[in-house]
Amino acid sequence: MRAGQHEGQEAEVAGTTTVAQVMAELAGLDDPKTRRVNEKHGDDHGVNLGRLRALAKRLKTQQELAVGLWATDDTAARLLAILICRPKVFGRDELDVMVRGARAPKVHDWLVNYVVKKNPHAEELRLAWSADPDPVVASAGWALTTERVAKKPEGLDLPGLLDVIEAEMKDAPDRLQWAMNHCLAQIGIEHAEYRARAIGIGERLEVLKDYPTPPNCTSPFAPVWIAELVRRREGQEG
């Protein structure tokens, strides 16, 4: 069989795939050991992410199927939906409902990073979510702010962000605390004029100072994280 012929048949199969068929395939990929590991992190699914990505690659982009998979409220199905959707076509209110309904941490994380960041409503949602009383929703706002700190800082009040982090990060719920800490580190890494202050805030608050970090991984403790990333960049430039 010629390569082009095979690809055409595969696309045809992908185009007729139903939610029920995909759910059956995901059920077949579910592994009890993987599920036990994931559940320790709050993610109730047992599908190896490499296999999930391979399935997404085979299905290709299918917005209608993605919407159907999301509606199942199944964690593995929602992760797959995120991988095969068209990020730019979601409406602002749609994304707001999706973020509020994303129970599993991995679903929340992928939704923000793979979909919301690529959507034209990202800045509007960043502002709304950052002020939201729900700490998980607020963490999405902070994740979008961290993205801007790194890629489009113009117009951001960096000293003001540091003020909020200094006042609120220590007592913030876990996922919001993690997102604020990432923003703190990103400010210190990207903006030399605020680096000393960012490191000082991290040292005083000691958030994630004792976080267990595997070998060859960078600690999430902001002063260490900042120092390590700056050292690597300077080494590359040198």
Side-chain angles (χ1 to χ4, degrees):
M1 181 183 290
R2 295 194 306 274
Q5 188 180 354
H6 175 76
E7 287 168 7
Q9 287 184 350
E10 193 171 352
E12 184 179 330
V13 171
T16 58
T17 306
T18 66
V19 171
Q21 287 171 324
V22 175
M23 294 304 290
E25 187 159 356
L26 288 173
L29 292 173
D30 196 278
D31 174 63
K33 287 183 181 177
T34 303
R35 180 173 288 275
R36 283 196 293 272
V37 171
N38 287 336
E39 283 176 345
K40 290 179 182 175
H41 304 288
D43 294 312
D44 55 341
H45 78 95
V47 181
N48 173 280
L49 294 181
R51 291 186 172 188
L52 191 78
R53 290 181 185 277
L55 175 56
K57 190 175 181 182
R58 199 178 83 228
L59 290 170
K60 300 183 174 66
T61 302
Q62 295 191 59
Q63 179 66 13
E64 191 175 335
L65 179 59
V67 171
L69 289 170
W70 184 272
T72 66
D73 197 27
D74 177 84
T75 296
R78 285 188 159 187
L79 291 172
L80 182 60
I82 290 165
L83 295 175
I84 67 169
C85 76
R86 295 187 184 278
K88 293 180 180 179
V89 306
F90 289 103
R92 180 202 182 283
D93 293 344
E94 262 185 300
L95 289 175
D96 186 66
V97 170
M98 289 168 77
V99 160
R100 292 176 193 282
R103 300 171 293 98
K106 182 69 74 178
V107 172
H108 179 271
D109 182 50
W110 279 22
L111 180 62
V112 173
N113 284 292
Y114 297 167
V115 180
V116 181
K117 285 181 180 179
K118 299 174 182 178
N119 185 274
H121 302 289
E123 178 62 13
E124 188 183 348
L125 289 168
R126 180 186 78 82
L127 294 169
W129 288 344
S130 295
D132 199 276
D134 182 327
V136 176
V137 175
S139 74
W142 278 93
L144 294 172
T145 298
T146 301
E147 173 90 347
R148 272 204 59 189
V149 166
K151 296 184 177 178
K152 195 180 177 184
E154 298 80 13
L156 282 180
D157 177 10
L158 297 178
L161 287 173
L162 291 172
D163 289 343
V164 175
I165 292 168
E166 190 166 25
E168 300 177 13
M169 183 171 74
K170 182 79 172 177
D171 299 317
D174 286 353
R175 283 162 73 179
L176 177 55
Q177 184 184 71
W178 188 276
M180 293 174 88
N181 182 70
H182 190 180
C183 190
L184 174 66
Q186 203 71 53
I187 291 172
I189 293 162
E190 301 287 345
H191 302 279
E193 65 272 33
Y194 300 113
R195 188 168 296 151
R197 188 181 173 201
I199 290 171
I201 290 170
E203 287 173 343
R204 282 193 299 281
L205 300 185
E206 298 189 335
V207 167
L208 300 174
K209 184 176 183 179
D210 300 318
Y211 190 84
T213 306
N216 302 319
C217 290
T218 303
S219 168
F221 179 47
V224 174
W225 191 351
I226 293 167
E228 175 62 18
L229 268 291
V230 170
R231 183 188 65 78
R232 285 185 203 171
R233 286 190 181 183
E234 289 175 348
Q236 288 172 351
E237 289 169 4

